[in-house]
Amino acid sequence: MSTRILSATAEQSKSQFGPILTSALIGAVLIFAAGFASPDALHAATHDTRHATGFPCH
Amino acid sequence: MTKTLLSGGVIAGAIAGLVAAVFQFFLIQPLIVEAERYETGELVLIGIESNKPDPAPNPLETPGHDAQGAENTDNLLVRNGLTVLTLILTWAGFGLLAGAGLTAFRALPGGGRIPATALGLIGFAVLSLAPAIDLPPELPGMEAAELADRQLWWVATVAMTAAGIFFAAGLRSWPGRLAGLALILAPHLFGAPLPPVSAPAVPPDLAALYAARVLSVNLIGWLVLAIALLWLLPEAGAKADADGLTEPG
């Protein structure tokens, strides 16, 4: 029983590795663009959000 | 699977971002606008006028920093519209990270089910509380260390706290727990880049109120995000249902 569950878990984690990585990468890119990227126009657009979310700003 | 995970993270994050945007205009934005009046020199703290640097232009001076611009209705609409949009994008990013973390945690030996409150508190601890312990949410105009140094410390702290909680909660072994604890503590023992010693540029009570409100709103956002995310990405117990939804054919 436990062997079956373990192998099912291993199989499941293997098949989920791609989606997990994709989701984490897109999430990180969004957060970088909104919270960290330095072009002036981007900084102006995200200024209040950066202060309100606790990202380092200025 | 990928589609469900991505759409679940984005939708849960967008809902949390909209909730954060509502609180933004009642609790956060008025304090930012007030601080900008000190930043631009329109208001000056009594007794420290002589400590204020000459009005050297801020290299990052933008419409967002212009207190006069804030009085212009068009500018204000654009500014607030962009804030709502970028809040939604930021929280969508949080949602995607939380979805990835949740799915990975479910696959760990010690992982599995997690209640919404725990997921929300972990997200809040990783992306809001841990960096705020040494780098509190700052108002415009406050003295701070070099931006790149603070950003590096922020990213390192978030990454190490996330990894630490993951090890401590998911591995269920003492070496794993100790390694997790060490990762969580390390950035705080190292310490964040400190601001130069100087007289305050904005009222300290305003800064304190601001930090408290930002953390409170972030906590609410994270709880909303977690509830929405668990609703959109069902628990392991509902795996059969989830598979039916995510892997047609």
Side-chain angles (χ1 to χ4, degrees):
Chain A
M1 180 65 185
S2 65
T3 314
R4 195 170 66 82
I5 291 172
L6 275 181
S7 70
T9 307
E11 197 60 36
Q12 193 187 338
S13 60
K14 207 167 148 191
S15 72
Q16 288 175 343
F17 185 70
I20 289 171
L21 202 64
T22 310
S23 181
L25 271 178
I26 299 175
V29 167
L30 275 180
I31 292 168
F32 176 79
F36 290 88
S38 52
D40 277 359
L42 210 51
H43 175 265
T46 60
H47 173 265
D48 295 348
T49 292
R50 290 183 184 189
H51 279 283
T53 317
F55 293 125
C57 198
H58 298 283
Chain B
M1 177 67 208
T2 310
K3 226 168 122 183
T4 313
L5 186 55
L6 293 185
S7 59
V10 169
I11 294 169
I15 294 170
L18 278 173
V19 171
V22 172
F23 283 103
Q24 171 84 12
F25 294 111
F26 286 107
L27 297 176
I28 310 282
Q29 198 72 16
L31 304 188
I32 291 180
V33 172
E34 177 78 1
E36 281 173 351
R37 298 176 71 195
Y38 289 93
E39 187 185 25
T40 55
E42 185 189 339
L43 295 178
V44 176
L45 275 176
I46 296 168
I48 63 158
E49 193 172 358
S50 58
N51 289 332
K52 230 178 148 43
D54 288 338
N58 183 340
L60 293 174
E61 198 77 51
T62 65
H65 298 244
D66 184 354
Q68 283 185 329
E71 287 164 16
N72 179 309
T73 315
D74 285 349
N75 279 3
L76 196 62
L77 270 180
V78 171
R79 177 180 179 172
N80 290 342
L82 283 170
T83 300
V84 173
L85 184 71
T86 51
L87 273 174
I88 290 172
L89 285 177
T90 304
W91 281 91
F94 290 167
L96 286 167
L97 284 188
L102 173 69
T103 312
F105 178 73
R106 283 173 175 169
L108 282 180
R113 282 171 174 273
I114 184 167
T117 41
L119 179 63
L121 287 176
I122 289 171
F124 172 71
V126 169
L127 280 146
S128 198
L129 193 61
I133 288 172
D134 292 274
L135 281 182
E138 57 190 88
L139 279 166
M142 282 172 66
E143 289 291 342
E146 195 65 37
L147 177 63
D149 294 345
R150 282 180 291 140
Q151 288 181 328
L152 186 66
W153 187 88
W154 193 99
V155 171
T157 301
V158 166
M160 288 167 88
T161 309
I165 291 178
F166 214 73
F167 283 169
L171 295 185
R172 295 275 161 89
S173 70
W174 280 108
R177 283 174 183 157
L178 287 176
L181 189 66
L183 276 170
I184 292 167
L185 292 178
H188 304 289
L189 295 176
F190 183 77
L194 293 171
V197 177
S198 63
V202 299
D205 55 347
L206 193 69
L209 183 64
Y210 184 75
R213 285 188 178 180
V214 165
L215 288 175
S216 306
V217 172
N218 281 354
L219 175 59
I220 293 167
W222 270 106
L223 291 175
V224 170
L225 191 158
I227 291 166
L229 194 64
L230 285 178
W231 181 63
L232 291 162
L233 304 175
E235 289 281 358
K239 189 179 174 307
D241 296 341
D243 282 349
L245 284 173
T246 56
E247 291 167 17

